[in-house]
Amino acid sequence: MNWAQLRDLKCAELEGAADGWGRSSNRADAARDRIEQHLLTGLRDSQEGEAAQAAVARLRQLGRNFQYVYTECGLVRTTLNSLAHEMKAQQRVLTEALEDAATLKFTVHPDGSVTYPAAGEGLVDGSPLKGGTASSVAARILVPPSGLTAPNPHTAKAQDIADRITGAVRTAGEIDWRYAGILRQLKAEEGLKVPDATWKDAAGDAAAVRDAARTYLKNAIPHDATPAERRDWWAGLTQEQREEYLAVYPDQIGNLDGIPALVRDAANRDNLQLLIGKLEGRDDDKSITQLAGLREIDRQLGAGTQPPMYLLGIGDEGNGRAIVSYGNPDTAKNVAAYVPGLGTALDRGFAEGDLKRAWDTAKGAHKYDHSSAAMVWLGYDAPQFPDGLDSADVMGDERAENGGRAFTSFMGGLAATNSHDDPHMTAIGHSYGSRTVGAATQQGDGIPGVDDIILVGSPGVGVDRADELGVGRSHVFVGAAENDLVTKSPSKLQGNLTAVAGPVGFVAGKLLDRDDDDVWFGKDPASEAFGARRFHAHEGPSLLEGGFDAHSQYFDARPERDNASADNIAMVVAGHGNRVRTENPR
């Protein structure tokens, strides 16, 4: 490339080509949406049997193919737009240098050197100093003038212009080479199927384009803004800009609090496929475990549910991230978010068990108000069982504090995007998740938008009174099964004294806790001193009968069991907390 080619480059043609790829991407997205929202739904509702199942499987494969086309065409579009964006910057540098040369009546040669005329006055005879040619490749060491000569005042100006011209051309050449390499990689495998290996390549493609488009797109994403500011940022983008962010940064847009739920869902469904491709073939335990969880979430998204599923967050950082809502939280009047606790990670157990808890809660709430949505929020690293029940992670506050900050931001996003003037929002904490919810209430002015708090299987929330949770004691609901040992965990004081002085220390701790109503993270939420409304929960199996099963049955809504706890939770979520079946505090 030379400066004349850079000057004459028609970036509009690159952008026009990008628009064409954008139209192809949008057509593929519309086709995928028609398959998933219309054809599959209609087929499931009207047909049964092996033929129908086979048709569903083939339609799902076709939908995945269109999703791949959407992703790759979107990447090509952004690559071309980003290329044009960077080339325009170098054209501006070149244009300004050429204009400066023309103003000074310098001559710019094809090789980028600059000839300048005679100027100035010689110290001997006063005649103008001869002109010359400045080149960016010339030696940069300037020889200081002798006492009898002075430099031509044009020399430094010509050298600067030559340097700017050469710099622009050299940088443009590097840009051209870099993007050519990216575009060569954006190609599909032959055949009509899109296997996981192809999605693995797509994940690599997306990473390369994200890196290249850093100045074009990423730097504008408002990571440090409030959820309301992010909502307004997204609303202010053009449709083309939104499409490019979704194609190139589905991981960031899909996990950005304040972005509308439908947008997050679309971004995360695409990112889900990229994550599956990224982890496919890895043999480390973490990747294998998370891949199983991702596949199960993908299966459920394809199977369809009522209320419908929305994927509001997904990621492989830490122990994994996943936020799944049943019902659209932007249009529902009642919105609940459940925070799981000890042992929760992005794995198959989470995808089968914790998602079902949220789904059961949503279905239960629908019995009282159809305008309800319930979700599971795994937006933090919960303590894990392998750490040991006496580990710092399980017994400490750090993970809850970190999770509380993230949960506060998330709920602020839901409050910002909900279409109702005054939605009814509920935060639900189970096990260590209740400690996380408690930590969230202590951030700033509390959890944004939350009207009710439900605590089940809680080892304490970090405060000693329901009034300290920011919603009023009558809006704090507690479920504590009699056989749930977690709700009867010894206080931190007793634990510390026991560790230091053994049985004597334990006795001393008991004496200090005269009412026997302290648990590990503060006052027992089910105690009279805490002041919350304790609702009825089945006592659950004893330790000998079912181990720790009593700790996990609060959300069960199976007819063969006493599902009073699940029903009470559903009533609170639906805004009917006044109807819960209460139980005497401890």
Side-chain angles (χ1 to χ4, degrees):
M1 182 179 293
N2 57 45
W3 67 262
Q5 290 173 319
L6 176 59
R7 178 197 62 192
D8 298 335
L9 176 65
K10 294 179 174 60
C11 289
E13 293 183 356
L14 291 173
E15 293 169 331
D19 291 341
W21 285 99
R23 288 190 292 272
S24 295
S25 179
N26 291 340
R27 284 196 294 269
D29 190 39
R32 176 188 62 173
D33 184 69
R34 183 165 182 262
I35 289 171
E36 294 181 351
Q37 302 298 325
H38 301 285
L39 298 181
L40 280 173
T41 300
L43 189 60
R44 291 193 191 98
D45 292 344
S46 61
Q47 304 292 324
E48 296 180 355
E50 293 183 5
Q53 293 174 359
V56 166
R58 295 191 67 171
L59 281 172
R60 286 205 66 197
Q61 179 63 60
L62 184 59
R64 282 170 58 87
N65 289 1
F66 277 124
Q67 184 174 14
Y68 175 75
V69 173
Y70 159 78
T71 297
E72 289 289 302
C73 288
L75 293 177
V76 175
R77 170 175 60 180
T78 299
T79 300
L80 292 172
N81 276 334
S82 187
L83 169 61
H85 173 77
E86 293 195 38
M87 284 298 196
K88 283 181 178 179
Q90 300 311 312
Q91 280 185 322
R92 286 193 293 271
V93 173
L94 173 65
T95 298
E96 290 173 0
L98 294 176
E99 289 175 349
D100 288 347
T103 299
L104 294 168
K105 295 183 170 37
F106 292 174
T107 301
V108 179
H109 301 285
D111 64 355
S113 59
V114 178
T115 297
Y116 54 93
E121 296 181 353
L123 296 180
V124 176
D125 56 7
S127 61
L129 298 172
K130 67 178 181 179
T133 299
S135 173
S136 184
V137 297
R140 297 300 181 86
I141 301 177
L142 298 177
V143 178
S146 68
L148 299 178
T149 62
N152 186 322
H154 290 319
T155 301
K157 297 176 183 178
Q159 186 65 62
D160 174 66
I161 292 172
D163 288 344
R164 283 189 282 158
I165 291 172
T166 301
V169 173
R170 182 182 295 118
T171 301
E174 293 171 352
I175 293 169
D176 181 60
W177 178 85
R178 176 159 45 88
Y179 279 96
I182 293 172
L183 287 167
R184 277 194 293 269
Q185 296 301 315
L186 295 176
K187 58 184 179 182
E189 298 293 331
E190 294 184 4
L192 297 177
K193 291 187 176 181
V194 182
D196 289 335
T198 303
W199 277 109
K200 182 177 182 179
D201 290 339
D205 293 341
V209 176
R210 280 196 294 268
D211 184 64
R214 190 176 305 276
T215 58
Y216 173 57
L217 288 177
K218 182 182 178 182
N219 290 345
I221 298 176
H223 292 290
D224 296 330
T226 65
E229 290 170 339
R230 294 168 182 164
R231 175 201 60 200
D232 295 341
W233 167 77
W234 183 260
L237 297 177
T238 66
Q239 184 59 29
E240 181 180 358
Q241 288 172 324
R242 293 175 187 170
E243 291 167 358
E244 289 200 81
Y245 276 113
L246 286 171
V248 181
Y249 295 106
D251 56 329
Q252 296 187 43
I253 300 301
N255 291 285
L256 196 63
D257 299 326
I259 300 298
L262 288 176
V263 176
R264 292 183 69 160
D265 177 64
N268 285 314
R269 286 175 186 252
D270 292 333
N271 192 40
L272 176 63
Q273 301 305 322
L274 295 175
L275 285 172
I276 290 175
K278 173 184 174 182
L279 300 180
E280 175 68 25
R282 294 186 179 180
D283 58 2
D284 60 286
D285 291 341
K286 176 183 173 181
S287 296
I288 294 171
T289 297
Q290 291 189 350
L291 184 60
L294 293 170
R295 288 192 186 283
E296 177 57 21
I297 292 174
D298 184 44
R299 185 197 69 77
Q300 293 184 37
L301 287 168
T305 62
Q306 285 299 328
M309 289 175 66
Y310 295 85
L311 190 59
L312 303 183
I314 199 73
D316 62 344
E317 61 267 36
N319 294 327
R321 303 286 186 267
I323 308 169
V324 179
S325 178
Y326 293 89
N328 187 338
D330 286 353
T331 59
K333 171 66 175 176
N334 306 295
V335 181
Y338 143 60
V339 182
L342 178 63
T344 311
L346 178 57
D347 55 19
R348 191 176 186 87
F350 167 82
E352 293 177 339
D354 289 279
L355 264 64
K356 185 179 184 302
R357 292 176 180 178
W359 189 23
D360 285 345
T361 300
K363 289 186 292 184
H366 271 232
K367 293 189 300 183
Y368 300 99
D369 190 337
H370 282 288
S371 185
S372 299
M375 69 196 73
V376 55
W377 180 86
L378 181 59
Y380 79 120
D381 283 329
Q384 299 298 298
F385 282 113
D387 295 332
L389 291 179
D390 60 345
S391 73
D393 284 339
V394 176
M395 309 306 280
D397 298 283
E398 182 177 359
R399 294 196 179 210
E401 296 292 341
N402 292 336
R405 284 188 285 271
F407 186 62
T408 298
S409 174
F410 174 74
M411 296 303 287
L414 294 185
T417 57
N418 190 278
S419 60
H420 294 271
D421 292 335
D422 186 23
H424 171 253
M425 301 178 68
T426 305
I428 307 173
H430 174 240
S431 186
Y432 190 87
S434 67
R435 176 67 186 92
T436 303
V437 169
T441 66
Q442 306 305 299
Q443 301 292 321
D445 296 326
I447 308 177
V450 167
D451 303 285
D452 291 315
I453 292 176
I454 300 175
L455 309 169
V456 288
S458 176
V461 296
V463 299
D464 290 335
R465 298 289 182 270
D467 287 330
E468 298 177 61
L469 296 178
V471 295
R473 62 190 302 167
S474 63
H475 291 276
V476 179
F477 299 85
V478 176
E482 278 305 307
N483 288 325
D484 182 356
L485 298 183
V486 173
T487 69
K488 298 179 179 180
S489 60
S491 70
K492 188 178 293 188
L493 173 64
Q494 292 173 16
N496 291 337
L497 289 175
T498 301
V500 174
V504 174
F506 182 79
V507 172
K510 282 291 186 181
L511 290 173
L512 291 173
D513 180 17
R514 294 180 179 180
D515 296 321
D516 197 24
D517 57 5
D518 288 345
V519 286
W520 189 261
F521 293 113
K523 195 67 66 179
D524 177 8
S527 69
E528 184 175 6
F530 190 79
R533 298 175 65 185
R534 185 184 182 190
F535 59 80
H536 175 66
H538 187 266
E539 64 183 13
S542 67
L543 185 62
L544 294 178
E545 293 172 327
F548 281 93
D549 287 353
H551 184 58
S552 305
Q553 295 180 0
Y554 294 98
F555 301 89
D556 282 357
R558 286 179 279 182
E560 66 272 18
R561 287 187 175 171
D562 178 357
N563 59 6
S565 174
D567 195 45
N568 284 324
I569 291 172
M571 280 191 284
V572 175
V573 168
H576 294 283
N578 60 313
R579 298 172 58 182
V580 300
R581 178 181 169 189
T582 59
E583 189 168 309
N584 290 330
R586 290 173 177 166

